[in-house]
Amino acid sequence: MTDAQMIDHDDILERAAAWKEVGDSVALATVVSTWGSSPRPVGSRLAIKGDGQFIGSVSGGCIEGAVVTEALEAMEDGKTRILDFGVTDEMAWEVGLACGGKISIFVERLN
Amino acid sequence: MKLTNLKALNEARADGKSVMLFSNVDTGEETLLIDGEGSGEVEVTLAIKEAATRAHNEDKGRLVEIDSQRLFIQVFNPARRLVIVGAVHIAQPLIPMARLAGYDVTVIDPRGAWATPERFPGIEIDRRWPDEALEDIKPDSRTAIVTLTHDPKLDDPALMTALKSSAFYIGALGGKKTAGKRAERLTEAGFSTTDFARIRGPVGLDIGAISPAEIAVSIVGQITETLHRPERATA
């Protein structure tokens, strides 16, 4: 994890706390492990709000939609989730990556 | 995650503290450690502590399976630091480049004519003697130190203090002849060959750098190499 990415994180976590404090539902989605050429390193994250708005990134853009859907469900039921994604070569091409990879994401509600 | 933990984490990071977060990914239970202190729902056993130390040293979070629980260990280390001794020409491009690479930069120079706001707008320069300033800064294994003054009166005390620290990178400007003479002085001062082998000099990667900006690139490159490829980066 580089410091530049951590500065990035700072901001996401600050925003997540700020959203929660004004009464929004908030979930966090964090990359916990990667295999192959995955686009973002462990620790990359999204903060998602009850209305579906999000900041940050966990991939090059190919799985954010699915992660947000799961995050909204986690806000409802309060359960944690581990999401596994295989980024196929085809998808990887779509997001401008040279080849595929695998990525696991931890989704949790901010309580 | 608990909002109280998130706020404590954000606050500790803003204060430059080292933070670790352990989350049980199946139950959502968590424990927050700030500068190694703290408690929570996840009991930090010896095995977890060992995995945490590795994660901390490598500056990299990870998912581990310990004591039949799946734990996500997250590391939030403060920014690495670069201490530049000498408010010289090379320092001018080196400061922004090192900042872009993620370093908190400190410049030390007791000489008033060098450390002017005109030459270094917006930079606070530590005007104490390098050894005194460095003893206060307390370089650790996340600190790099570069001496750029060319003046033994300033570089030597800086390097001697640096060698007593665990700084991961120590670089000194000056050619082979300067380095040779410096080695003699350090030997007289009681330092061993192993000690001054830690000093990278002539400073920077051998990329034919000529201008101050190019030399700054070579220095940032060498610091980066020492950080990520320490096995390759031997003097």
Side-chain angles (χ1 to χ4, degrees):
Chain A
M1 197 186 307
T2 71
D3 290 302
Q5 280 151 358
M6 281 163 48
I7 290 158
D8 198 6
H9 285 166
D10 254 355
D11 204 37
I12 294 165
L13 293 177
E14 294 281 353
R15 288 275 286 281
W19 282 345
K20 185 70 192 169
E21 284 195 295
V22 297
D24 281 313
S25 296
V26 180
L28 295 170
T30 314
V31 177
V32 294
S33 50
T34 63
W35 298 264
S37 79
S38 90
R40 296 294 317 270
V42 170
S44 306
R45 74 179 88 239
L46 283 185
I48 307 100
K49 216 159 80 145
D51 62 2
Q53 246 196 81
F54 65 90
I55 52 165
S57 80
V58 289
S59 75
C62 46
I63 60 172
E64 268 76 2
V67 173
V68 168
T69 308
E70 291 282 343
L72 291 171
E73 278 174 30
M75 284 178 213
E76 288 292 319
D77 64 21
K79 288 191 185 117
T80 58
R81 287 159 168 75
I82 290 279
L83 313 177
D84 294 310
F85 293 94
V87 182
T88 64
D89 285 350
E90 208 172 292
M91 268 171 88
W93 176 257
E94 287 292 315
V95 295
L97 298 163
C99 50
K102 270 163 71 183
I103 189 163
S104 284
I105 291 170
F106 173 47
V107 180
E108 59 181 334
R109 181 171 76 182
L110 190 54
N111 295 311
Chain B
M1 182 174 194
K2 291 200 186 76
L3 179 62
T4 45
N5 276 344
L6 178 57
K7 284 171 70 181
L9 186 157
N10 286 341
E11 204 173 295
R13 291 227 58 208
D15 291 344
K17 289 179 179 154
S18 179
V19 184
M20 299 202 81
L21 178 65
F22 306 90
S23 310
N24 182 317
V25 296
D26 296 303
T27 63
E29 291 171 314
E30 61 197 13
T31 287
L32 184 70
L33 290 190
I34 296 171
D35 281 344
E37 302 285 318
S39 61
E41 298 148 334
V42 175
E43 195 199 336
V44 184
T45 61
L46 195 62
I48 294 174
K49 206 168 256 173
E50 277 172 17
T53 304
R54 273 197 301 278
H56 174 86
N57 292 344
E58 290 168 22
D59 221 352
K60 235 158 105 181
R62 65 206 52 199
L63 185 64
V64 294
E65 204 168 331
I66 296 174
D67 309 334
S68 66
Q69 41 178 357
R70 284 197 298 171
L71 279 186
F72 180 35
I73 302 176
Q74 291 187 78
V75 183
F76 301 87
N77 280 328
R80 293 189 183 86
R81 298 184 292 172
L82 170 64
V83 181
I84 301 171
V85 179
V88 300
H89 204 168
I90 294 168
Q92 291 171 325
L94 181 56
I95 294 165
M97 284 184 200
R99 283 184 173 161
L100 283 173
Y103 292 82
D104 263 351
V105 181
T106 307
V107 181
I108 302 169
D109 201 322
R111 302 168 299 177
W114 297 81
T116 64
E118 286 75 27
R119 288 164 45 80
F120 293 91
I123 309 269
E124 203 179 312
I125 293 171
D126 194 324
R127 300 283 295 273
R128 290 174 292 181
W129 275 82
D131 47 351
E132 189 195 340
L134 275 172
E135 266 154 33
D136 192 35
I137 289 166
K138 295 186 181 58
D140 56 16
S141 60
R142 301 176 56 78
T143 309
I145 302 166
V146 184
T147 62
L148 302 175
T149 72
H150 263 307
D151 182 345
K153 282 200 300 298
L154 292 163
D155 281 359
D156 280 7
L159 291 170
M160 288 178 197
T161 316
L163 286 175
K164 287 179 202 148
S165 79
S166 58
F168 75 90
Y169 175 92
I170 304 170
L173 191 72
K176 290 214 165 71
K177 238 168 89 182
T178 316
K181 282 189 195 152
R182 181 170 54 232
E184 282 169 30
R185 291 193 304 273
L186 289 174
T187 311
E188 268 170 49
F191 288 92
S192 70
T193 321
T194 339
D195 285 331
F196 50 77
R198 279 176 70 197
I199 302 173
R200 313 299 304 278
V203 75
L205 296 176
D206 186 9
I207 53 171
I210 296 166
S211 71
E214 288 173 349
I215 295 168
V217 168
S218 79
I219 294 172
V220 173
Q222 190 171 50
I223 294 173
T224 309
E225 182 184 53
T226 309
L227 181 67
H228 296 300
R229 296 268 188 275
E231 71 285 354
R232 202 191 296 173
T234 41

